Amino acid sequence: STQTVSVSADHIPVFVRGNAFIPMIATIQNTASYSIEKFDLHFYFDATKSTGSGMLYNDDGKTPDATSKLESEIVYFTSVYKGNQLTLSLNNQVQKKFKAADKNITIIIHNVADVKNVSVKGKNITFNAANNRLEIPVTLEKRTAKDIKIEF
């Protein structure tokens, strides 16, 4: 479908596909400072869709063709919504020559209301929910996977 939207110099809307994952790091001055040891993972929840997926590729930024040299990693993100439960799964796959680090991720879920419970690997955790937005701090250890369950 097509929509016409008004814009101005100080406000240009951004449209995001439902159930999309968008990883973001804090502002850096140059790529030498780039790291995914700490990042925000925005997820744009859409209750009309049952699944979503995304990925974040990472290497040292210097090695040409790092993947074929086994010097990279990929963090995969998936979502499954069924009944009153949303499950987000994170999976860090590290190639054997890459020096990966644990990741401190703040998952920010947009378009959610009435969150009753959040658990990570089966353990209930404290979460911050306000203004149709949910923030969940998660540590993803290198070469591991983690499931986050949100109950509405």
Side-chain angles (χ1 to χ4, degrees), residues 88-91 120-121 138-141 144-148:
L88 302 181
S89 298
L90 310 177
N91 184 352
V120 177
K121 292 188 89 172
V138 174
T139 299
L140 182 64
E141 292 81 10
T144 65
K146 200 163 271 190
D147 288 339
I148 300 95

Side-chain angles (χ1 to χ4, degrees), residues 8 25-27 33 45 59 66-67 81-82 96 104 122 124 128 139:
S8 64
I25 63 168
T27 302
S33 304
F45 178 60
D59 62 28
T67 301
Y81 180 59
K82 186 174 183 181
K96 79 175 154 181
N104 293 306
N124 292 346
N128 180 15
T139 299

Side-chain angles (χ1 to χ4, degrees), residues 31-32 34 57-64 66 71-73 98-99:
T31 57
Y34 178 79
Y57 172 86
N58 187 41
D59 62 28
D60 66 7
K62 300 172 189 169
T63 304
E71 296 181 20
S72 67
E73 70 178 329
F98 187 70
K99 292 179 174 70

Side-chain angles (χ1 to χ4, degrees), residues 37-147:
E37 289 181 26
K38 180 179 180 187
F39 68 94
D40 294 339
L41 180 60
H42 292 262
F43 176 71
Y44 291 84
F45 178 60
D46 182 348
T48 67
K49 299 184 185 302
S50 60
T51 62
S53 64
M55 61 177 258
L56 175 59
Y57 172 86
N58 187 41
D59 62 28
D60 66 7
K62 300 172 189 169
T63 304
D65 203 16
T67 301
S68 69
K69 294 177 181 171
L70 305 177
E71 296 181 20
S72 67
E73 70 178 329
I74 297 177
V75 182
Y76 291 96
F77 320 114
T78 60
S79 69
V80 175
Y81 180 59
K82 186 174 183 181
N84 289 333
Q85 182 172 284
L86 171 65
T87 301
L88 302 181
S89 298
L90 310 177
N91 184 352
N92 183 218
Q93 294 187 3
V94 181
Q95 291 187 303
K96 79 175 154 181
K97 293 182 182 177
F98 187 70
K99 292 179 174 70
D102 295 347
K103 286 143 191 56
N104 293 306
I105 305 169
T106 300
I107 300 173
I108 302 168
I109 304 174
H110 301 265
N111 307 318
V112 293
D114 301 322
V115 176
K116 292 182 174 57
N117 188 50
V118 176
S119 63
V120 177
K121 292 188 89 172
K123 294 183 181 182
N124 292 346
I125 64 161
T126 303
F127 58 91
N128 180 15
N131 302 318
N132 290 329
R133 188 174 138 145
L134 171 64
E135 292 189 16
I136 306 166
V138 174
T139 299
L140 182 64
E141 292 81 10
K142 59 187 169 193
R143 295 182 171 86
T144 65
K146 200 163 271 190
D147 288 339

